[in-house]
Amino acid sequence: MIRQLQTLTLYGDLNMRPFRNAWMLKELQLPFKHIPCQPWSRTAKSVHPLGKIPALLVEHHHNAKESSFVIFESAAINTFLGDLISGNNKETCNINPNNHTLVPRVGTQERARYESLVSFVITELDTQSLWIHRKHSDLAHVFGEAPIAVNEAKRQFNNSLKVLEDELLGMNSNDGNYYLLPSCGFTAVDILFADCCSWANKIGWLVNNDDDRDVERELIFPGKEGKDKNETCAAISSVVISKKLEKYLDMCWSRPACKQAEQMRKNQKVMVRNNKQTSKL
């Protein structure tokens, strides 16, 4: 177990999935360096064979010996960080709820449930839904346009979100704190789920009651105004945030660590803008 004298370096644009890792690092109060970079950039390719982000470089220094390795994928990085902090602590999160590490201990029922929920969020909400939209909408110039695939991805998102909403609705909490692992409180899976909800809100898939965006038109395919919608696919309505989900997201997004990561994202934007201005001089 790597436990001390580490240098952690997070690679990636905080407007994308690396935000989840910055949030986790802030939750655990782990010092780290952040190197902003875009997917497929030279910097990203230096740490990831496919040039993807995020990537976490872990450098270990002990007794004059040095070693390093790189971890890929936002969920895997956060699980590693939680395990890193837990060390040899033999307390499970439900036995010691005030001192858990955001990732339940290996071999426990809570860990099994955690791994199940993480896989569900990443595969059903992220990869098969939100990422399909990004590939064939925001990155259509790279991957091509696929309006039917985007529409079906929206259907997948709606169905998967209902599963997780049912998880929250089925919880009973005397103190009003509702998280996906109620016996553990807030965990790394809540970071993943809340970030996916934020992503969905930005593209109009998850909306507030007072949101006046034309969400059904957006679902077909942005930029395809002249094409007959009936020739592509029927519009699928966006999900209106329920009171329970709104409360859950407010609890997640109001956490100090989330706000600190958000400030990092704002600082990154300023830094990138300043670098562009400097390069023009």
Side-chain angles (χ1 to χ4, degrees):
M1 173 70 71
I2 297 176
R3 300 188 61 195
Q4 57 183 357
L5 300 176
Q6 300 123 106
T7 300
L8 303 175
T9 305
L10 176 64
Y11 288 79
D13 184 345
L14 296 184
N15 292 299
M16 301 179 184
R17 292 186 183 97
F19 179 81
R20 305 167 181 177
N21 306 124
W23 183 354
M24 182 72 168
L25 286 158
K26 290 295 185 180
E27 287 281 357
L28 298 176
Q29 299 181 26
L30 286 170
F32 67 101
K33 294 187 293 186
H34 173 231
I35 298 180
C37 60
Q38 295 296 309
W40 311 308
S41 65
R42 180 177 300 179
T43 300
K45 289 178 180 178
S46 71
V47 289
H48 193 297
L50 296 178
K52 294 187 176 183
I53 57 173
L56 183 72
L57 173 63
V58 182
E59 299 172 281
H60 182 51
H61 317 280
H62 183 63
N63 295 334
K65 296 181 179 180
E66 297 188 3
S67 61
S68 65
F69 61 94
V70 179
I71 311 173
F72 310 139
E73 306 298 331
S74 60
I77 291 171
N78 281 359
T79 297
F80 165 79
L81 292 171
D83 287 340
L84 181 70
I85 288 296
S86 67
N88 293 320
N89 177 17
K90 296 182 179 180
E91 300 289 343
T92 60
C93 63
N94 61 319
I95 294 176
N96 190 16
N98 295 323
N99 193 36
H100 75 86
T101 63
L102 303 189
V103 174
R105 184 170 173 79
V106 174
T108 63
Q109 180 178 339
E110 290 82 5
R111 179 58 172 256
R113 185 62 179 156
Y114 166 84
E115 297 285 4
S116 176
L117 287 168
V118 165
S119 295
F120 187 89
V121 171
I122 291 300
T123 57
E124 305 297 336
L125 282 183
D126 186 323
T127 308
Q128 295 193 63
S129 304
L130 296 164
W131 176 236
I132 296 298
H133 176 276
R134 180 170 288 172
K135 283 181 69 175
H136 300 296
S137 180
D138 298 341
L139 299 175
H141 61 287
V142 177
F143 296 102
E145 298 178 350
I148 295 178
V150 172
N151 201 59
E152 288 307 306
K154 177 65 177 64
R155 189 195 309 276
Q156 171 72 18
F157 176 84
N158 288 359
N159 293 339
S160 301
L161 182 67
K162 186 179 185 304
V163 172
L164 293 174
E165 274 203 283
D166 287 345
E167 287 283 329
L168 296 173
L169 288 170
M171 296 174 189
N172 295 313
S173 175
N174 294 327
D175 59 5
N177 291 326
Y178 301 93
Y179 294 111
L180 290 174
L181 287 173
S183 63
C184 297
F186 182 82
T187 65
V189 73
D190 294 299
I191 291 177
L192 297 177
F193 181 40
D195 186 61
C196 282
C197 287
S198 176
W199 183 353
N201 179 256
K202 290 175 182 176
I203 63 174
W205 283 13
L206 186 62
V207 298
N208 299 319
N209 282 309
D210 57 353
D211 197 319
D212 60 358
R213 283 178 287 180
D214 186 0
V215 292
E216 289 197 358
R217 189 164 66 87
E218 289 181 347
L219 290 177
I220 292 299
F221 197 71
K224 302 296 287 186
E225 308 297 338
K227 197 163 187 177
D228 185 354
K229 292 181 182 180
N230 295 325
E231 292 180 3
T232 55
C233 47
I236 298 174
S237 298
S238 293
V239 176
V240 177
I241 299 176
S242 66
K243 293 295 183 182
K244 190 67 174 284
L245 182 58
E246 182 180 16
K247 180 178 180 180
Y248 166 80
L249 293 174
D250 284 344
M251 287 193 303
C252 292
W253 293 334
S254 64
R255 293 178 67 85
C258 181
K259 293 181 178 179
Q260 291 167 12
E262 181 61 36
Q263 186 59 52
M264 283 189 63
R265 177 154 54 189
K266 293 177 181 177
N267 293 343
Q268 172 193 271
K269 184 176 181 180
V270 172
M271 182 180 67
V272 170
R273 183 172 64 244
N274 290 342
N275 287 343
K276 288 182 178 180
Q277 291 175 346
T278 301
S279 65
K280 294 178 179 179
L281 297 178

